[in-house]
Amino acid sequence: MEFNLILVGLAGVIAAATPIVFATIGETITEKAGVTNLSVNGTIILSAMTGFAVATSTDNLWLGFLAGAFVGALVAAIVAFSSITLKQSQVAVGFVLTLMCRDLAYFLGNPFMGLSGPRVPPAFEIPLLSKIPILGTLFFNQDILVYLSFLLIIFANIYVYKTRPGLSLQGIGERPASAYIRGTNVNKMRYIYTILGGALVGVAGPMYSLSVKAGWKGTISGLDGIGWIVLAIVIFGGWNPLRGSLGAYLFAFLQWLGLVLQTSLPGIPSQVLQVAPFPLMILTLLLVNIGNAEWVDRTIMGLPENVRPAISRLLRSMKTNPPSSLGVPFENE
Amino acid sequence: MKVELRSIHKYFGPVHANNNISLTILPGTIQGIVGENGAGKSTLMKILSGFIQADEGEILLDDQVITIHSPSDALKRGIGMLHQDPLDFPPMKVIDNLLIGQEGGLFPNKRKVAADIKKLANQFGFSIDTEAYVEGLTVGERQQLEIIRLLWMGARILILDEPTTGISASQKEKLFETLTRLASEGMIVIFVSHKLEEIETLCHRAAVFRGGLLVGEAIQPYHTDDLVRLMFGKPMELGSRLGCHSEENVVEIHNLEIEDPRLHIRDVDLDVKAGEVIGLAGMEGSGQRLFLRALGGLLATTGRTKLLVKGHDLTHEPYSSYLKTGVAYVPADRMEEGLIPGLTLKEHFILTGDTKKLFIDQEESLHRTKVKISEFNIKGRPDSYVEELSGGNQQRALLALLNEPLSLVLLEHPSRGLDLESTIWLWEKLKERCKTGTAVIFISSDLEQILHYSDRILVFFGGKVSKPMLAAETNVDQLGQLIGGKGFVN
């Protein structure tokens, strides 16, 4: 295949990963605060439908995105209320919501099936930057959503790791009691981050229905399952917005690879190539997180002295831990 | 700054945790707060530090009545509390720990904070690496960090809740030195402990709590007997060593070898007689815990190790064989490894009872639980959840759960978190076991306790193990030397 064609294909991968990036960062922020919002899969489908319906009815693209964010925030608010205020199981509530939202989307979305709605304006080149060889084609000839996702990745990382409120966000997920004695209103902040994270997940829906997979096609829209992959990416991404985003790109890349290989390897059944990204994704992520396993530690101890420090430093840098209080309600006595 | 507590009352349901407590503390004082577990000391400290609010009574700072709404509110007024388990963020960097809760702009000035902290830490001779991760620090270092943080945030009154649990002797010395210095600079230090000797060495004054009441105050020089009488309402005496006279070997250890990423223990030979008590001393992480876990069947041994209990070869046998042979292990972390949070006392006794039956005999288990509760003097009901019990009662429950008869009981820090009365009671129970021929091996960081109750002592240092010493023929100084690594042959 020609080099330029590959580049264009990879640029397409970045565009296709954009909704996953938004949802991953949203869920990462929620979980960093110590709340698991398991409703991601249902939220994405429902907000895709709602976003499409609103954008089509009002003929206003951006109202569609707003509606998607609102749906995500609303579902997240239910999760927050039941887990933070009512102290109910986040897992149970999230599961029920994800199923309910999905079916609700298919039911309510019926009148909008197959309609043609507005679409996000096509890709445009950023002056100067798009002229950089390779990188220009990859990153700077994209649509507005992709550019926004770049900003989101940068902003989320700076916020979480460099700002004062971001440190507090990490604190309430790690050890709420410590955050509380330092003056943080733990439950209020958990509400805020759950709803904010939910809104970001909600934005991912219209990104599909108004851009990446434009239109609303009900059960065949191919959105079912994305949310679960997002939850996996958050975990393997080590609750780090940047790593999570890289996971999103990896997943989109594997899907693209499946499509490309289909044409060049006709011997392999197409189903294999369509399914392959999922196990491949899990394998890759397991490999990235290998530093978490205890037997690896033990193996390293047996390595020769001259290579050991380098390898153990590498593994240490890849090592991740969930926020210690993920899923644990907080009460100040 | 002067603190005055006036007629403080606090109720938890039917429990009157603080009953009309009045206490005045003057600047420059190290005030000891002493009492057994559940006497109401922690409740009062939580009230003063804003964690909970009093039901009645007033708090005055410099003769002004104040209301403290939250811990951060307390710290703004200069009252800082160091919790027993320092309330920090282990997976995060030291610098980030300091920044959370500090007021200021969106982007904190890390370099300035790091410099300020280093300067403050240097004044007290602490070395704080602001780029280190908190989880890599020892409890003692985390305490130092938290003290520095509280001072940096402007604390003028420092409350310390049982701060000496889990820290090394040298860290304790350093801590006491620091507290003395803070008091000499006019600060108030409130030191909560159930260890009388600590109160006696450190505190200018001591207030004694019992059953929610402030039963008395004492000033230096103290009379230990008076304090004990105040604390328990009666004089207390440590029981004596039982003394082992059996010739029968319960445990035979040959060439014991344990490999761990950090330590390598090898060539340990030891015979333990029936009814004998062996104390394991050493700094935390010197190998004594590995040794104990290996004897309990919880850790694989390597090399030519041979381990016999009551003549049965248990080397490389699964844990269940150890249980069958009557080996019991009582861990230090009671809630993590010993008991099951979320299950009641009765359910614990069901689990350890007859496992052959499919259905639970509710009445029989209830009866058995009640018998055990009264026999072991556990303050709790059969349907109490284990996490609701106090530390002392959890330890009693753990002992009550041990099967009978046993050949060998292994205990990690059996008296950790227990007051004197509970400790004495614990050893009485263990001695009853010894009389029936059970051998006891225990780890403790309390040398006095090791000397007092052991027949023989092993000292661990960096994986090396001393020859067994007769407890009656050694003393704290000699043990201290060995613990510090002096006098090991190989």
Side-chain angles (χ1 to χ4, degrees), chain B residues 437-488:
Chain B
T438 307
V440 172
I441 303 181
F442 75 104
I443 299 178
S444 178
S445 44
D446 182 347
L447 286 186
E448 298 282 352
Q449 196 181 131
I450 289 190
L451 279 169
H452 197 92
Y453 292 110
S454 314
D455 295 301
R456 286 188 293 164
I457 299 170
L458 296 183
V459 181
F460 286 72
F461 175 77
K464 289 180 194 143
V465 187
S466 74
K467 293 271 166 272
M469 290 176 289
L470 287 174
E473 291 172 9
T474 181
N475 54 43
V476 174
D477 287 339
Q478 194 192 354
L479 288 181
Q481 295 266 325
L482 281 169
I483 287 171
K486 287 176 202 149
F488 274 89

Side-chain angles (χ1 to χ4, degrees), chain A residues 70-260:
Chain A
F70 178 75
V71 166
L74 189 70
V75 176
I78 299 174
V79 173
F81 179 69
S82 57
S83 66
I84 300 169
T85 305
L86 302 180
K87 315 242 182 275
Q88 296 303 305
S89 156
Q90 297 171 359
V91 173
V93 172
F95 254 117
V96 172
L97 279 174
T98 201
L99 294 174
M100 196 190 77
C101 289
R102 186 187 66 178
D103 292 345
L104 210 58
Y106 295 148
F107 171 64
L108 295 175
N110 224 19
F112 299 93
M113 282 271 275
L115 294 185
S116 71
R119 287 198 63 163
V120 170
F124 58 93
E125 293 187 355
I126 296 209
L128 293 177
L129 288 176
S130 62
K131 298 289 176 265
I132 305 172
I134 301 176
L135 297 183
T137 320
L138 277 182
F139 298 111
F140 302 112
N141 188 6
Q142 299 277 12
D143 68 21
I144 178 79
L145 299 179
V146 177
Y147 296 133
L148 283 176
S149 73
F150 294 161
L151 290 180
L152 179 68
I153 296 170
I154 296 167
F155 175 78
N157 261 281
I158 293 176
Y159 183 81
V160 171
Y161 297 107
K162 300 287 177 205
T163 70
R164 220 178 274 279
L167 290 174
S168 285
L169 163 63
Q170 294 181 55
I172 58 178
E174 290 296 349
R175 228 171 148 200
S178 303
Y180 169 67
I181 65 153
R182 284 161 170 78
T184 311
N185 186 337
V186 174
N187 285 339
K188 183 177 136 197
M189 294 321 286
R190 282 187 166 178
Y191 257 101
I192 290 175
Y193 285 120
T194 307
I195 292 173
L196 179 73
L200 283 176
V201 173
V203 168
M207 285 189 173
Y208 282 112
S209 60
L210 298 174
S211 173
V212 178
K213 294 179 177 183
W216 174 248
K217 303 185 195 69
T219 48
I220 54 156
S221 53
L223 296 181
D224 204 353
I226 299 276
W228 297 113
I229 276 292
V230 166
L231 285 167
I233 293 176
V234 170
I235 295 171
F236 291 124
W239 293 268
N240 174 315
L242 180 62
R243 274 178 65 155
S245 307
L246 295 179
Y249 291 127
L250 177 69
F251 178 71
F253 172 74
L254 291 173
Q255 278 192 315
W256 173 75
L257 211 58
L259 286 175
V260 172

Side-chain angles (χ1 to χ4, degrees), chain B residues 122-176:
Chain B
N122 279 340
Q123 286 177 21
F124 292 96
F126 296 158
S127 70
I128 289 179
D129 174 7
T130 49
E131 287 301 306
Y133 286 87
V134 174
E135 60 197 348
L137 305 182
T138 64
V139 177
E141 287 168 332
R142 286 168 61 191
Q143 272 184 358
Q144 294 176 353
L145 171 64
E146 190 66 2
I147 290 174
I148 292 297
R149 188 184 78 85
L150 291 170
L151 295 176
W152 175 63
M153 297 285 286
R156 301 287 301 146
I157 300 168
L158 204 57
I159 306 171
L160 300 99
D161 186 15
E162 306 278 1
T164 56
T165 311
I167 68 173
S168 71
S170 63
Q171 282 170 336
K172 180 169 141 182
E173 207 170 288
K174 184 97 215 159
L175 176 71
F176 282 15

Side-chain angles (χ1 to χ4, degrees), chain A residues 158 161-165 167-168 170-171 174-175 177-183 301 316 324 333, chain B residues 46 51 71-72 85-89 91-92 96-97 100-102 104-108 149 261:
Chain A
I158 293 176
Y161 297 107
K162 300 287 177 205
T163 70
R164 220 178 274 279
L167 290 174
S168 285
Q170 294 181 55
E174 290 296 349
R175 228 171 148 200
S178 303
Y180 169 67
I181 65 153
R182 284 161 170 78
M301 296 305 291
R316 158 93 208 173
S324 317
E333 309 249 339
Chain B
K46 280 182 179 167
F51 246 87
S72 61
D85 183 13
L87 281 177
D88 48 20
F89 304 99
M92 298 173 71
D96 294 340
N97 264 274
I100 297 179
Q102 189 217 15
L106 186 61
F107 292 97
R149 188 184 78 85

